[in-house]
Amino acid sequence: MTHDIATPLYFCNNCKKVFDSSDSLFLVEDNSTRAFCSDVCIEKFFAPLVEFYEKKVRSLRTIEGVESELCLDYVNKRDKMGQLLVTPDEIYLQENTLKEKIYIFIKKFIDDSSGGSEEVLPIYLIIYSLVFEMSPSFIIMATATSSDKLLQRLKIGRKLEDISDFTAKARSSTTKVMQIDTEVITLLESKRSSLLANLLSRRVATDIAFEKFHEYEKFYQDTLNNPDEIYSFQDKDGGNIFSYIKAHEEKRRSFYYIVLCVKSSLRDSSEEQGIFPVLSFPTTDVALYSYYRSGEKISGGFKN
């Protein structure tokens, strides 16, 4: 691309590629001139920040004796993450002297899956995020805990007393999202529980640790949008499950990312079908990869 010397220029803060218009660039922070040309460049630029907070959280978990918690699975529940972003209970702001800001979103959940046989502990879902136009734009760290001590350590910065602007913006955004019938939501939760139980029964100890799954969430969208393979197979209930599979590499380590989906009718449409993701995970286990690429191989994609 040839630029006239008098033309105002713009550039990606990561790869430094030059543009003659800001239309090709993305902003992820309010009141910041940092712009990026792609999601990949955003991830690469903020990777040191992501690594820093992930290490700090692991260290705090060790200190509090909660290195592994079953509730970490909440990070992979997209409905729970959505509730956190739309209706957080608390928001904190960490700001340095350069006016760079990180927001901490927290929401409390009660999971009575024990059926009353055990003490019900609250589950706190927490994300550290950048914010653009009153909405989370890039999640730096996501975790969940039932430990109040760990929760208090993760509440950094100052608490925002009025978060109505954030929740109003989030609710406004959700009105643009396709509505899903209650029956469909029930189906998805049921399928997810069944698929998760099956996955846990087939995992080997040498595979990627369950508590590290959230570190691979960044490969989720690419796997759905550009899968290497799509297979359809039946679960134990006779329902069709679609597995989207894509090979990835990071830090010279190869692995597969798999997204399991189910098909269901969309609201107000008796004919149109949608594919709904219900469970996603990384794996380095070839046997597990082979298991999820069984059944009928599908050519072409689906509407997700």
Side-chain angles (χ1 to χ4, degrees), residues 258-286:
I258 300 174
V259 183
L260 302 181
C261 310
V262 298
K263 181 185 290 186
S264 185
S265 297
L266 305 184
R267 173 177 286 241
D268 299 327
S269 173
S270 59
E271 297 181 356
E272 188 176 5
Q273 297 277 305
I275 295 293
F276 297 94
V278 292
L279 183 65
S280 61
F281 55 92
T283 182
T284 57
D285 182 11
V286 175

Side-chain angles (χ1 to χ4, degrees), residues 223-231 242-246 257-261 275 281 292 300-304:
T223 301
L224 269 183
N225 293 341
N226 305 291
D228 295 333
E229 304 169 289
I230 303 176
Y231 284 84
F242 298 89
S243 56
Y244 285 59
I245 305 173
K246 188 175 181 66
Y257 199 82
I258 300 174
V259 183
L260 302 181
C261 310
I275 295 293
F281 55 92
Y292 286 107
F302 291 99
K303 180 178 180 180
N304 295 306

Side-chain angles (χ1 to χ4, degrees), residues 1-33:
M1 181 182 297
T2 302
H3 302 279
D4 186 277
I5 194 170
T7 302
L9 299 180
Y10 306 84
F11 68 94
C12 173
N13 272 242
N14 181 68
C15 70
K16 314 306 180 186
K17 184 178 179 180
V18 176
F19 299 85
D20 57 12
S21 169
S22 62
D23 294 343
S24 301
L25 296 171
F26 301 96
L27 296 172
V28 293
E29 300 169 276
D30 287 321
N31 303 314
S32 173
T33 60

Side-chain angles (χ1 to χ4, degrees), residues 70-221:
L70 291 177
C71 65
L72 278 168
D73 179 44
Y74 263 55
V75 174
N76 293 317
K77 293 186 176 184
R78 305 187 75 80
D79 61 323
K80 303 299 184 186
M81 289 288 283
Q83 291 178 50
L84 165 63
L85 298 179
V86 174
T87 56
D89 295 329
E90 298 178 287
I91 301 177
Y92 290 77
L93 170 61
Q94 174 80 298
E95 183 175 6
N96 64 21
T97 57
L98 300 178
K99 302 300 180 181
E100 296 172 326
K101 300 177 180 180
I102 294 176
Y103 290 81
I104 297 86
F105 292 76
I106 302 172
K107 188 171 183 64
K108 178 181 177 180
F109 295 89
I110 299 296
D111 184 0
D112 194 13
S113 58
S114 63
S117 60
E118 301 176 5
E119 180 185 359
V120 178
L121 295 176
I123 296 172
Y124 299 95
L125 190 54
I126 306 137
I127 67 166
Y128 285 23
S129 179
L130 303 178
V131 164
F132 181 67
E133 295 183 346
M134 307 305 292
S135 296
S137 56
F138 179 78
I139 295 178
I140 298 167
M141 186 280 297
T143 193
T145 186
S146 290
S147 167
D148 185 66
K149 290 184 177 179
L150 178 60
L151 173 67
Q152 297 308 318
R153 286 182 177 271
L154 295 176
K155 291 182 177 181
I156 60 175
R158 62 180 177 86
K159 183 178 181 179
L160 302 185
E161 298 302 326
D162 183 5
I163 62 174
S164 58
D165 288 342
F166 288 89
T167 55
K169 175 69 174 180
R171 288 192 183 98
S172 174
S173 298
T174 57
T175 61
K176 302 176 184 178
V177 179
M178 177 186 65
Q179 297 296 312
I180 305 175
D181 287 320
T182 303
E183 291 183 2
V184 176
I185 294 176
T186 302
L187 169 65
L188 298 182
E189 285 297 323
S190 174
K191 288 295 184 184
R192 188 181 188 287
S193 298
S194 175
L195 291 171
L196 179 59
N198 186 44
L199 170 64
L200 294 177
S201 69
R202 294 180 177 278
R203 279 175 47 78
V204 295
T206 54
D207 205 353
I208 297 171
F210 186 76
E211 58 268 20
K212 291 184 178 294
F213 277 13
H214 68 278
E215 298 177 12
Y216 294 82
E217 275 280 292
K218 57 189 175 184
F219 299 101
Y220 172 89
Q221 200 63 53

